Amino acid sequence: MYRAPFPAQLSVFDRRVIDNNATDVRVYQVWKGSNKFFLGGRVIFGPDVRSIFLTISLIVIPVLLFCAFVSRRIIYAFDKHLGKLIIFILILLTVYDLILLLLTSGRDPGIIPRNSHPPELEEDGSTLSTDWLGSQSSAGVPNLPPTKDVVVNGVIVKVKYCQTCMLYRPPRCSHCSICNNCVERFDHHCPWVGQCIGKRNYRFFFMFVSSTTILCLYVFVFSWVTIKKIMAEYDCNLWSAFLKSPVSGILILYTFMTAWFVGGLTVFHLYLICTNQTTYENFRYRYDSKRNPYNRGCVHNVCEVFLSKIPKSKSNFREMVKVDSSSLFGSTMSLARPMSPNIGKKSFDIETGKRQAVVAEDFEDIHSQIDSVGGLERCGTQPRHIIQCENSNWEISPDISVMSAEFAIEQGFKDREKVCKKGH
């Protein structure tokens, strides 16, 4: 998957030498996306995972302030058991909200694995775009068309070819420029959770936003209740009540502004769910003037989001794969963190091209240089040979040096046999 095939003219020993350079690593360690992996690839975040700590602090700090400064007045104002129940429900809502945040942020949103090579023109049953066919009629060598026509519920939908992932994106799929992955049913990249929102985590995202709205309203209401109790107890105005419990006033102001934001987001996504749209489609395509091929009615749309089975991840990030060790250099040798999406790919392409060029075209040149050196004794003391090719110079890689040594040994044995025959 990650390694080029051996040239046909190499012997079993040569294949074994090159195969010794292959290193077993897990998929997440050579992942070309921008994701961050934790717990050995079991948890996947977006590249902006640090923003989740800001989101957690915006949820937890107000709750802690409420429990520290407002809860005593709540317990005193209400019946003792009722007051404790109010605080317990608040803590339960907070824990539930944080769990939903982690479920949204720390899972595969629906990433489609990249292809190792471009697809064939007729790998599936989709139809080539008529515009592309017209433009290719006068061209010499056809390229992959930028779009294909796919029929979805009787409506023709154009799917685009992704140059980065080398695949035709399925319907409703889009490439996230932040995570550098193609994501199924791509909705948007949320900076508050530090992750793409797609087919596998959209349900948890909506539940997180709606539960955050409920949590804000809960704190807002009981902060107002505290202020009202203070006004009735001390027979004072609103400003005096705020001075006696400033934390309640701060929480009222904070939760009021936050509830408008997350509440509006909840209503907007509820509309998207009922009409079976994504945020990306709503802002880019606008189904108002044309038929939405994915809309099956409000009830079916809601069931599709909340009651359908979440599909399994298409990427096994903990799967063991063989990678050419020459592509693991520099800082990427540390397998505790993911490799850069560009370094591994570039080094792999360079090494593959280099080895194929040397082995396939210039192997005879190497052999002749070994003959001129005069056997194994001088092979280890000679400087590196530069092989002149038609277009550029190639340095002999360590693999080729080992193979050269083997052929030098064979040549040395042949020379000794000739001397022995002459002596007899």
Side-chain angles (χ1 to χ4, degrees), residues 53-244:
F53 296 104
L54 174 62
T55 305
I56 291 175
S57 63
L58 292 175
I59 296 172
V60 173
I61 291 177
V63 173
L64 292 177
L65 291 175
F66 186 92
C67 293
F69 298 98
V70 183
S71 60
R72 295 179 182 178
R73 294 184 179 274
I74 292 291
I75 295 174
Y76 177 77
F78 293 91
D79 179 69
K80 185 177 181 180
H81 296 288
L82 181 59
K84 289 183 178 180
L85 180 62
I86 292 172
I87 305 302
F88 176 76
I89 293 175
L90 173 64
I91 296 174
L92 197 64
L93 278 174
T94 305
V95 173
Y96 174 71
D97 197 39
L98 294 176
I99 291 174
L100 290 174
L101 172 61
L102 294 177
L103 287 175
T104 304
S105 181
R107 69 187 291 121
D108 175 12
I111 298 173
I112 299 179
R114 304 184 183 200
N115 284 335
S116 57
H117 58 83
E120 299 294 335
L121 287 178
E122 297 182 358
E123 278 191 353
D124 50 29
S126 56
T127 307
L128 300 181
S129 173
T130 55
D131 299 335
W132 177 82
L133 289 174
S135 64
Q136 292 295 316
S137 58
S138 58
V141 180
N143 297 318
L144 285 172
T147 60
K148 277 188 176 183
D149 296 334
V150 177
V151 179
V152 179
N153 295 329
V155 179
I156 297 178
V157 177
K158 289 186 178 296
V159 294
K160 296 181 179 180
Y161 178 74
C162 179
Q163 298 287 347
T164 304
C165 301
M166 291 190 290
L167 53 82
Y168 282 99
R169 303 169 190 161
R172 314 194 86 176
C173 172
S174 184
H175 190 91
C176 176
S177 59
I178 300 175
C179 292
N180 196 25
N181 294 311
C182 279
V183 180
E184 281 190 289
R185 202 185 184 276
F186 177 77
D187 191 88
H188 69 289
H189 184 93
C190 181
W192 297 102
V193 303
Q195 181 65 284
C196 284
I197 308 302
K199 189 173 185 178
R200 298 189 71 251
N201 64 347
Y202 180 77
R203 176 187 306 176
F204 301 109
F205 170 76
F206 178 80
M207 294 170 68
F208 164 69
V209 173
S210 58
S211 64
T212 304
T213 304
I214 296 172
L215 183 61
C216 287
L217 294 176
Y218 193 88
V219 175
F220 177 80
V221 168
F222 283 101
S223 296
W224 262 118
V225 168
T226 303
I227 294 296
K228 288 293 184 180
K229 292 290 184 180
I230 292 174
M231 292 174 63
E233 181 181 353
Y234 293 95
D235 193 19
C236 60
N237 56 21
L238 182 63
W239 180 250
S240 299
F242 280 148
L243 293 178
K244 291 183 180 296

Side-chain angles (χ1 to χ4, degrees), residues 25-44:
V25 296
R26 297 192 184 274
V27 169
Y28 80 91
Q29 294 170 332
V30 290
W31 187 253
K32 294 183 179 180
S34 303
N35 304 89
K36 305 285 185 179
F37 294 89
F38 298 92
L39 300 178
R42 294 178 178 87
V43 181
I44 173 174

